[in-house]
């Protein structure tokens, strides 16, 4: 199947391809003095989101040629951009979508998508040049984590079983406990419902994937998820949390790409003196164990506003980010009872008066809203941004 579209107000240059920014390069351009936490870097390349085959990009006088095939004639999708227009040949006559738009977030131009989210070749041509993203193996395998209240969304009441069954309950503590020698039983690896880490989608691809309760049936179809299944309920819970009303004027945003997370955080904190940090544990999937705050002591990193981004349970990386005023951010060195060391990050909220009185932290710590600062450690996949 060959689809031909005229080139209308479309400029493609050789230098534009060099200017195409991957998520990592976007970070380095927007935040040249801010190191990227390993927790975010780990979400770029996972076995579930890499292509076993290669994608070739060729630039010549005739335009741009992209071939995401299997190394055999007719085995892939070829996209040619030249003076005559855009030509798309899938080789199989199905599964290709071509759009010409000036829509929000895309800057206008031509977008080509073959297949479903997470298993596709995307080619976008717009003001920024040519963007090519290849997916092959699809989303990670759902492993049956039941949906439940997010312990980091402060307007939810704790469920009857959450206090005893949710390992994240142990992450809450009082600020007065941040002293060397203090012992706490903790587990930092956060289950997100899938076998393996769910990866970031590039923003150009993430913006083509529907996200919202009004589009939920479309979302399930896009990810081949059965309605009413555990995975469907988990995804719905994440979207509900993203669309829930704000708590006490708190600014929140669900980032469906690294680029959108950067943009939100920078818009709230600025970019000249901003840092992003996350908890680091020396051993992957470390079990719940007793940790002691090391003698080296606790270091306060920030004592003002921050943006905290919590990784959600979803087929690709989605972060629930919220700007928190009157917060302190701490670096906490920990030593496990088996010798395991961790560089934990903790956030302490000084004003909790607008939180749900039945929120999990109040139940764990046996305190009331607005009385004392409430603190929590961050699981490994979560990130806090702050100015310095």
């Amino acid at each position: 199947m060959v689809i031909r579209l005229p080139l209308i107000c479309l400029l493609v240059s050789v230098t534009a391809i060099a200017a195409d920014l991957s998520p990592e390069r976007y970070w380095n351009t927007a935040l040249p003095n801010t190191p990227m936490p390993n927790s975010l870097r780990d979400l770029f390349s996972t076995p579930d989101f890499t292509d076993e085959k290669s994608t070739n990009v060729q630039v010549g006088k005739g335009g741009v040629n992209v071939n995401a095939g299997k190394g055999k004639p007719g085995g892939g999708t070829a996209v040619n951009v030249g003076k005559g227009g855009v030509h798309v040949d899938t080789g199989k006559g199905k599964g290709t979508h071509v759009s010409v738009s000036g829509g929000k977030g895309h800057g206008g131009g031509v977008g080509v998508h073959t297949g479903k989210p997470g298993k596709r070749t995307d080619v976008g041509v717009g003001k920024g040049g040519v963007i090519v993203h290849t997916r092959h193996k699809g989303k990670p395998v759902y492993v049956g984590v039941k949906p439940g209240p997010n312990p980091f969304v402060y307007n939810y009441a704790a469920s009857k079983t959450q206090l005893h069954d949710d390992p994240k309950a142990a992450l809450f503590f009082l600020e007065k406990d941040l002293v060397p020698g203090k012992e706490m039983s903790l587990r930092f690896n956060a289950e997100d419902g899938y076998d393996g880490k769910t990866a970031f989608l590039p923003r150009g691809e993430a913006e083509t994937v529907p996200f919202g309760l009004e589009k939920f049936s479309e979302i399930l179809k896009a990810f081949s998820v059965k309605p009413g299944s555990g995975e469907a309920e988990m995804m719905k819970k994440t979207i509900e949390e993203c669309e829930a009303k704000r708590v006490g004027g708190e600014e929140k945003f669900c980032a469906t790409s690294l680029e959108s997370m950067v943009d939100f955080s920078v818009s709230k904190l600025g970019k000249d003196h901003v840092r992003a940090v996350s908890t680091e544990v020396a051993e992957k999937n470390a079990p719940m164990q007793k940790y002691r705050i090391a003698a080296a002591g606790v270091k306060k990193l920030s004592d003002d506003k921050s943006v905290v981004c919590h990784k959600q349970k979803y087929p690709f990386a989605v972060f629930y980010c919220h700007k928190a005023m009157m917060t302190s951010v701490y670096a906490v060195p920990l030593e496990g009872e088996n010798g395991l060391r961790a560089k934990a990050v903790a956030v302490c909220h000084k004003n909790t008066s607008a939180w749900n009185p039945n929120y999990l932290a109040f139940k764990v710590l046996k305190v009331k809203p607005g009385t004392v600062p409430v603190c929590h450690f961050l699981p490994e996949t979560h990130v806090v941004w702050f100015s310095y």
Side-chain angles (χ1 to χ4, degrees), residues 14-63:
V14 175
T15 56
I17 292 188
D20 171 32
L21 297 180
S22 66
E24 289 176 280
R25 290 180 62 192
Y26 186 89
W27 177 291
N28 293 333
T29 300
L31 301 167
N33 300 314
T34 304
M36 184 186 298
N38 290 331
S39 63
L40 295 181
R41 194 178 301 280
D42 289 346
L43 299 181
F44 290 124
S45 297
T46 69
D48 296 299
F49 282 84
T50 55
D51 197 332
E52 294 174 340
K53 309 303 177 182
S54 62
T55 298
N56 300 317
V57 180
Q58 298 176 345
V59 182
K61 293 182 179 180

Side-chain angles (χ1 to χ4, degrees), residues 155-175:
N155 59 345
Y156 282 118
S159 66
K160 294 181 180 179
T161 60
Q162 192 176 17
L163 184 63
H164 304 288
D165 296 344
D166 191 342
K168 297 189 188 72
L171 296 176
F172 293 100
F173 61 94
L174 297 176
E175 194 171 26

